[in-house]
Amino acid sequence: MILVTGGTGLVGSHLLFQLLKSNEPIRAIYRREKTLARVKNVFSYFSDDAETLFNKIEWVEADVNDIPKLQDAFKGVTHVYHCAAFVSFEPNKYIELRRINIEGTANIVNLSISHKVKKLCYVSTIAAIGHHSNPEKLIDEQTEWSPEDDNSVYAITKYGAELEVWRGTQEGLDAVIINPGIILGAGYWNGGSSGSLFKRIYNGTPYYTSGVTGYVDVWDVTNAMEQLMKGSIKNEGFILVSENLSFKSFFTKVATYLDVKPPTKEAKSWLLGIGWKLDWLNHKLLGKRRRLAKQTAKSAVSITNYDASKIKNSINFEFKSIDTSIEEVSKLFLKHL
């Protein structure tokens, strides 16, 4: 039995669709019933029989911090894909981020050990990888994380979650960790996923930033996960980045495939600095939700280039080009309208 946590998220839903091809029994965890419609929606993009596929999955309502329900979910499980996470860059969400990302992962690790799970795959992020002071130097799995850096609350808790997985490997659990870049995939056009970027660009945005980061297609993420879980590699981490692109280049490519006007104005670092300070002030004085944290503004102009050669060499992995990924996701977005 395969268990997937976070089955209603971007990675989780695409992973479930892929795993169904193997005809192995699959159990998936969800938190709220209304989120199940997202999975059916994703399935409908790639199959004319989405409902039948959806019903092949054994769905369990549980929270990663609800131990009794998790105990039931782990019965008979041999492999665990831990995709569940809380994604937020709002500093005031730190306690909730710790509870879900770190404590929740600790629970999944502990239950995997107690139920003698054969292997666990944890979905982390490139945000949990260290950075170089020299922006031209490639970041790889050996780049050291520094707690002294001005890391986002999300990055801090995902790094803490990784430590829980590594702790599990010291206690006998076989595991692999993946660190994907910005994941491009369809079906999640709102919220914090990359789909919201497609929606934002389609609706028109005049500004771009000068930063550079890594991107990867969601199917590359799920393919790498499945290959790593089925293979002999264990207790290793892998960066999953197809290409490093500037935000300007990414926005322009998406605008081209969506046939809309690309952004033409650069949001300079000083403008972003004013922006996050005003955002903080609105939060403090008016109680408004944070939309631009200091760390987010900084990353928007930071140049971070990632090296994914480890996954390529370890399992002879080939990434889909980001142009192809953008084109495919753009077509599904336009179909969604």
Side-chain angles (χ1 to χ4, degrees), residues 206-211 248 264-276 292 296-302:
Y207 291 100
Y208 65 87
T209 58
S210 60
K248 180 183 181 181
T264 56
K265 301 176 183 178
E266 181 181 352
K268 302 285 188 178
S269 58
W270 63 266
L271 182 61
L272 292 169
I274 293 173
W276 76 256
L292 182 64
T296 308
K298 179 183 175 182
S299 65
V301 294
S302 297

Side-chain angles (χ1 to χ4, degrees), residues 109-124:
V109 168
N110 292 338
L111 286 166
S112 295
I113 294 171
S114 62
H115 284 78
K116 295 180 172 54
V117 165
K118 294 179 180 179
K119 203 170 188 179
L120 177 143
C121 177
Y122 176 58
V123 182
S124 187

Side-chain angles (χ1 to χ4, degrees), residues 124-140:
S124 187
T125 167
I126 52 172
I129 300 286
H131 296 91
H132 296 301
S133 56
N134 180 2
E136 294 184 4
K137 189 175 181 181
L138 289 176
I139 297 167
D140 61 20

Side-chain angles (χ1 to χ4, degrees), residues 10-11 123-124 180-185 193-195 214-219 221:
L10 175 65
V11 173
V123 182
S124 187
I182 295 178
I183 303 172
L184 307 183
S193 70
S194 65
Y215 297 82
V216 64
D217 188 86
V218 68
W219 294 116
V221 174

